[in-house]
Amino acid sequence: MSSIDTVDRIEIRAPRQRVYDVVCDYPAITSWFRIYHCRLLDDTEVHEGSRVEHIVGKPPHAVVNRFIRTVRRMLPGERLEETYDEGDLIGSGTWPFDEHNGSTTAAYHCAVRGNTLSKRIAFKLTGSVGHNMVYGRLLAALKKHCERE
């Protein structure tokens, strides 16, 4: 299998609009999750249609993934939908945000295929383990960041 379809989630003691706003602020992600770097390619603000370059790792030495996502749909405070259009991964990703009793469940559903030989081999060997490790750490950092402020 050279593709993955997986969901990672976490409970955050913060309103869902707050969590949504933090996730949508791509350029600021590095401030709370150091190994993840995002850059808006076409705009200065995120909106439907925005293209965002993602680099996972610390360039120039250890880049794990490099890809470009396009923001397809934004439902403020509720949902963010993206497609992986270029680079190491091709597919889709969705962030649903569900609020209950003052907390938010933030989840990331990733359905992608490897678009490079190294990613196809990695997916065949490990499946979604690598993705789950990175997103487990990202979600823990998101929780810490959102609950701190």
Side-chain angles (χ1 to χ4, degrees):
M1 177 171 80
S2 61
S3 63
I4 62 169
D5 190 334
T6 186
V7 178
D8 297 284
R9 63 178 43 89
I10 197 163
E11 195 77 19
I12 301 172
R13 288 184 315 271
R16 72 180 181 179
Q17 186 65 51
R18 163 95 176 111
V19 178
Y20 174 90
D21 290 343
V22 169
V23 168
C24 289
D25 188 359
Y26 293 100
I29 287 176
T30 303
S31 71
W32 52 268
F33 191 55
R34 300 255 182 247
I35 68 161
Y36 210 103
H37 307 269
C38 294
R39 181 173 62 96
L40 294 171
L41 296 178
D42 306 321
D43 303 296
T44 57
E45 293 188 22
V46 177
H47 57 81
E48 290 180 358
S50 290
R51 290 171 18 96
V52 184
E53 177 185 51
H54 296 254
I55 298 172
V56 182
K58 292 196 174 196
H61 306 295
V63 174
V64 177
N65 286 312
R66 183 184 305 258
F67 48 86
I68 294 174
R69 287 187 194 154
T70 302
V71 176
R72 297 296 176 185
R73 187 169 182 212
M74 298 177 79
L75 298 173
E78 296 179 25
R79 189 175 183 87
L80 175 64
E81 298 175 7
E82 309 164 309
T83 54
Y84 292 72
D85 301 318
E86 298 176 37
D88 295 337
L89 307 171
I90 301 293
S92 63
T94 304
W95 285 94
F97 303 93
D98 297 312
E99 188 171 0
H100 44 87
N101 298 326
S103 290
T104 300
T105 300
Y108 189 69
H109 177 205
C110 181
V112 296
R113 65 177 171 80
N115 195 40
T116 61
L117 180 60
S118 64
K119 289 302 154 204
R120 288 192 294 271
I121 291 170
F123 285 165
K124 281 184 189 279
L125 293 175
T126 66
S128 62
V129 171
H131 181 277
N132 297 129
M133 286 175 48
V134 170
Y135 267 78
R137 290 172 54 204
L138 183 143
L139 290 170
L142 175 65
K143 175 182 175 78
K144 183 178 179 181
H145 181 75
C146 289
E147 290 180 353
R148 177 180 52 209
E149 295 182 7

